[in-house]
Amino acid sequence: MIFAFTGPALADEVFVMLDMTTKKCVTMRTQPKDVKKYKMLGKYPNLGEAQPPCTP
């Protein structure tokens, strides 16, 4: 048997953002367009590598 893993689930980038209104870290699958509300903290190849650099 041959299994092929294709699709966006394996290639999704994850963005760690700081929500400027709540001052909390959030992770997103797409980069937000609202640059006033969110500040980019990091871009990672997958969710497993995304570690929010924020402290509560």
Side-chain angles (χ1 to χ4, degrees), residues 18-53:
L18 177 64
D19 185 330
M20 300 301 285
T21 58
T22 64
K23 303 296 184 198
K24 292 184 180 183
C25 285
V26 293
T27 55
M28 302 179 174
R29 296 272 182 201
T30 59
Q31 189 170 1
K33 295 182 183 355
D34 189 352
V35 295
K36 291 182 181 179
K37 183 176 180 181
Y38 297 103
K39 178 180 177 185
M40 171 77 80
L41 297 177
K43 178 175 145 182
Y44 299 90
N46 57 52
L47 189 58
E49 292 186 27
Q51 295 296 322

Side-chain angles (χ1 to χ4, degrees), residues 2-19:
I2 297 173
F3 292 97
F5 295 100
T6 59
L10 295 177
D12 281 347
E13 292 180 326
V14 178
F15 299 91
V16 177
M17 311 296 290
L18 177 64
D19 185 330

